[in-house]
Every structure is written in C-alpha cells, then in structure tokens.
Amino acid sequence: MPDKKVIIVGGGLAGLVTSIHLAKAGIGSEVVEKNQYPFHRVCGEYVSNEVVPYLRHLGCYPEQLKPSSISRFQLTSVNGAEANLQLDLGGFGISRYVFDQFLQQYATSLGVTVRQHTEVTDIRFDGRQFYLDTTAGPLEADVILGAFGKRSRLDKQLNRSFMTRSSPYVGVKYHIRLASFPHDMICLHNFQDGYCGISRVEGETINLCYLTHRRNIKAKGSLSAMEKEVMFRNPFIHRLFDQAEHLFEKPESINEVSFETKRPIEAHVLMIGDAAGMITPLCGNGMAMAIRSAKLASEHVLRFCTDTNYSRDKMEKGYAQDWRHHFARRLWSGRQIQNLFGGVWSSNLAVGIANHMKPVAEFLIRQTHGKPF
Ligand SMILES: Cc1cc2nc3c(=O)[nH]c(=O)nc-3n(C[C@H](O)[C@H](O)[C@H](O)COP(=O)(O)OP(=O)(O)OC[C@H]3O[C@@H](n4cnc5c(N)ncnc54)[C@H](O)[C@@H]3O)c2cc1C
C-alpha cells in the first residue's frame, strides 16, 4: 500500500501533538500553521496534570522549560468572598509562547514538516483525496486533521453551523510580574459578567487572563475602563493590577469565543482540540482536552494508514464515537458550571459551596476533568 499523506491544519497543541504521536509510530505528516513560532495566544496557560504521562511517553513533557507546579486553588466571588481548595490532580503552568515552539521543534526533529506562515483557505474532498488551497499554493492529502482552534475562516468555508451565530465572549491575556505570588496556586477571581485567572508560568512570569461578556467592555468604552470600573470591585483583582509590572505593551485579546456544540467530523475532516469543541476556560482543561483528542485521533489515523481493512468510514465513526465518549459530558458540565460565575449571587454561591460543601466542589471539578492517560 502506498504511504498515505497526512496533513494537519493548525499547529497549536492538538496539531503538534498529533504530528509527534504519528511520527513516533512511523507515520509522516505535515503541519500547516498560519503564524510563525514563537507567538503569544490568549490562554490561561495552566495545563492539567492528566496529560503528563502521555507527554512523557511521547518524550515531550517540557521539563527543561521549568514549568511551575500548581496544586492549590483560590476562588473569590464578585464582592471578594474567598475559598481555598487543594487540587486533587493539579497542573503545571507554562506559556504557550515557549510550549508551542518547544513542541514544534521536537516535531521537526522527528521529521515532521511544519510549514509556518501558511494559511489553509479551502479544503475539498472528492471521495478519495483532499485538495487544499493555502497561501503558499495547493496541497493534496489522504487524511486531514482539523486542528485550527476555536474559530477559523475554514469553519465558514466548511459551513459549520456554529459560525452562523455570533458569540458574546471576549478573552484577554497579560503577562505580569508581582513582588510576591505563590508558586503553587491558581486563582479564579469573579467580577460582574466575567472571571479572571492568575497563575505562574515558567520563571518569574505570571499569567493573568480573563473572559468577559462583550457588553461589559462596550458599556465602559475600553478594556482599561472596564478593568477599573468593573473588575476592580473585586478587591483581589484590584490589588493584583495595582501591584503588577506589565510585561506586554498591550494585552493579547480575542473576540467571538464560542462554547457551542460542534461536530468531531466535518466534511471527512477529523476535528481535534478546540476545532471539535471548546470547554469553558474556567475549567482549565482545554489544553488537556486538545492533547487527549490528539491521542484519540492519532490512534485511528494510524490504523487507517496501516490496516487496509480499516476503511475511512470506520476511522471516522470510530473517532467520533471515542470523542463523544471522552468529551461530550465534560463540555456540557463546563457550560453548566460557568453559570455559577460572573454574578454576585451565583459567585457567592460557588464560594459557599467550595467553603462548606467541599465534596460537592470536588465533584464539580471532577466533572470537567479527565483521568491521567
Ligand atoms: C480566555 C481563555 C483562557 C484559557 N485558559 C486555559 C487554561 O488555563 N488551561 C487550559 O487548559 N485551556 C485554556 N484555554 C483553552 C485553550 O487555550 C484551548 O483549549 C487550546 O489552546 C486548544 O488548542 P488547539 O490546538 O485546539 O487550538 P489552538 O491552540 O488555538 O491552535 C490552533 C492553531 O491553528 C492555527 N490556524 C487557525 N486557522 C488556520 C488555518 N486556516 N490555516 C493554518 N493554521 C490555522 C492557529 O494559528 C493556531 O496556531 C483558554 C481559552 C481562553 C479563550
């Protein structure tokens, strides 16, 4: 059987990890990424430890980048009530700026072609073969993995239904330094119509990232006015901004963050990571899900490439079934739990649950997390 050509569209965590998994199993692939590494992304940069065994197995746990190790969780309500929990599994903190580049370099060292600065603008399938248009010319492939994140022009081109609805959420990220901030803690501070996460990444850098409703910013006229007039009502956030040394000239921000249901297979493309479905950021689990979906998809693609009895149809159905089994409930739970955030009454309830009903709080956290794999 001639070698099958595999193209992965998008070189974030899902795309790069898939290329590494396939390369380790002897299957070559090409990653097409529209940006140039290294680059910043809006992300809280806290990775659940459930991915550690798998990353170690692939040889790409980023030990040498010295990620922070996080095991404690602080939650505050809109008006500053506080709860503290120990995290069962915990996680590590690492900036996407260094993590994605590290994975890209590792993939390249395994023989993966990573085409940077190249955007895929169209994907067509003729029943046997895919034809891609890219800003660097046409490409052909037998298998395509869609790893292009939460929202891409390609979603429109593929007529994905969630693209017909606009999403009200805006994400904002800063890197800051603080004179003192615990090494092992992640904080989630509520404010009216939003929440803000803070945790260490590598070195002395601290990630401060928030999600809010577009109307919050519109009502105040600018991000900085909204921060001062809305977010600072939570004294924890006010103190952090007062003490912060900002490392970016201006924040990274993204619009149209959508948590709508998507499909894991679209036009015969296997969707992975956020392209298949995005969990609400408060769960701190999107990157772990991206990595897990990379593993699931790689296993099916591997079988398709090596076993003539494993048809495209079987690969698609098998992956879709695995994806739903692992993620459908987690995504739903994330959406429900997000309803407890961003309001005075509801965020006080969340803090009350964390303080007085620890088993319930731990149960809720477990609903959005997977087991180590
Ligand atoms: C505010 C906020 C905070 C978050 N905080 C956390 C957190 O603390 N922990 C956590 O686990 N998750 C968090 N997440 C979620 C996490 O960032 C995502 O789940 C994760 O990045 C998904 O990885 P991915 O590989 O699917 O997509 P991405 O990392 O977005 O990668 C997609 C890639 O595809 C490229 N691309 C897009 N279109 C094309 C195209 N047409 N051609 C070529 N390339 C293309 C993009 O440039 C990008 O590099 C957060 C998300 C938000 C919005």
Side-chain angles (χ1 to χ4, degrees):
M1 183 177 57
D3 282 351
K4 296 240 181 356
K5 170 121 201 225
V6 179
I7 291 187
I8 299 163
V9 183
L13 293 185
L16 290 168
V17 170
T18 301
S19 75
I20 291 167
H21 185 126
L22 293 176
K24 286 263 174 183
I27 303 288
S29 66
E30 182 166 339
V31 176
V32 186
E33 166 54 50
K34 69 176 181 186
N35 284 310
Q36 185 97 37
Y37 304 97
F39 58 96
H40 288 289
R41 299 171 192 274
V42 175
C43 181
E45 303 180 327
Y46 163 86
V47 191
S48 164
N49 274 340
E50 66 198 67
V51 303
V52 174
Y54 177 57
L55 292 185
R56 283 198 196 283
H57 167 77
L58 292 179
C60 59
Y61 177 71
E63 196 114 56
Q64 56 270 55
L65 300 177
K66 300 192 168 39
S68 63
S69 170
I70 296 167
S71 55
R72 290 192 294 146
F73 174 50
Q74 182 190 53
L75 176 68
T76 72
S77 69
V78 171
N79 53 8
E82 172 190 0
N84 288 281
L85 287 175
Q86 198 67 33
L87 290 169
D88 257 5
L89 194 56
F92 61 93
I94 187 161
S95 71
R96 298 293 300 270
Y97 191 81
V98 299
F99 193 21
D100 290 44
Q101 187 182 40
F102 167 82
L103 292 173
Q104 174 259 315
Q105 287 170 345
Y106 185 60
T108 306
S109 76
L110 297 174
V112 175
T113 306
V114 183
R115 241 179 231 261
Q116 303 183 48
H117 230 356
T118 306
E119 182 170 0
V120 176
T121 52
D122 194 14
I123 300 175
R124 297 174 303 281
F125 182 63
D126 71 358
R128 205 182 62 83
Q129 186 91 7
F130 287 96
Y131 301 89
L132 294 88
D133 292 338
T134 83
T135 46
L139 292 171
E140 291 182 15
D142 300 289
V143 179
I144 304 258
L145 290 121
F148 39 79
K150 52 190 88 56
R151 204 175 179 91
S152 164
R153 274 206 294 176
L154 273 178
D155 289 313
K156 200 159 191 190
Q157 186 266 326
L158 291 168
N159 280 321
R160 302 187 79 190
S161 58
F162 72 91
M163 288 299 277
T164 56
R165 296 177 288 276
S166 128
S167 170
Y169 295 107
V170 178
V172 178
K173 176 177 105 171
Y174 296 94
H175 276 174
I176 59 171
R177 284 213 178 105
L178 290 166
S180 79
F181 185 81
H183 275 86
D184 59 348
M185 188 181 266
I186 179 160
C187 310
L188 203 53
H189 299 307
N190 276 275
F191 57 93
Q192 189 61 48
D193 289 332
Y195 50 86
C196 170
I198 297 129
S199 54
R200 270 187 196 277
V201 288
E202 65 282 355
E204 291 307 307
T205 305
I206 293 167
N207 173 301
L208 188 157
C209 186
Y210 64 82
L211 186 86
T212 189
H213 202 287
R214 193 189 308 129
R215 68 170 168 250
N216 232 1
I217 301 163
K218 219 166 158 195
K220 302 299 171 192
S222 69
L223 278 185
S224 73
M226 191 280 295
E227 287 165 0
K228 290 189 184 75
E229 291 172 38
V230 179
M231 293 176 70
F232 285 14
R233 279 188 230 148
N234 179 331
F236 287 87
I237 302 182
H238 195 172
R239 213 173 307 134
L240 281 165
F241 271 80
D242 269 355
Q243 295 169 354
E245 177 199 340
H246 282 268
L247 305 179
F248 291 166
E249 257 172 43
K250 58 183 179 63
E252 294 282 320
S253 64
I254 43 164
N255 290 310
E256 298 280 348
V257 182
S258 162
F259 309 110
E260 295 235 14
T261 311
K262 300 175 184 172
R263 293 199 308 200
I265 305 280
E266 203 90 60
H268 302 278
V269 175
L270 274 64
M271 300 293 176
I272 51 178
D274 283 358
M278 184 180 176
I279 193 161
T280 51
L282 68 94
C283 304
N285 211 241
M287 289 190 275
M289 285 179 51
I291 293 171
R292 184 106 207 225
S293 66
K295 179 173 188 281
L296 297 176
S298 300
E299 287 162 356
H300 287 283
V301 170
L302 203 58
R303 231 178 125 187
F304 178 66
C305 291
T306 53
D307 177 355
T308 42
N309 292 319
Y310 199 65
S311 63
R312 183 182 299 282
D313 190 47
K314 283 183 182 160
M315 170 177 73
E316 291 178 7
K317 287 195 172 125
Y319 173 63
Q321 199 177 3
D322 275 358
W323 188 91
R324 288 198 183 95
H325 172 72
H326 281 90
F327 303 126
R329 196 172 166 77
R330 266 157 96 170
L331 290 167
W332 181 86
S333 301
R335 283 194 291 271
Q336 308 316 308
I337 293 172
Q338 184 158 269
N339 292 331
L340 282 175
F341 286 69
V344 176
W345 181 86
S346 56
S347 66
N348 277 319
L349 175 66
V351 168
I353 292 173
N355 271 328
H356 305 296
M357 301 165 82
K358 283 213 160 57
V360 176
E362 282 156 8
F363 171 79
L364 291 176
I365 294 174
R366 272 202 305 279
Q367 297 314 298
T368 58
H369 283 65
K371 294 205 163 56
F373 58 95

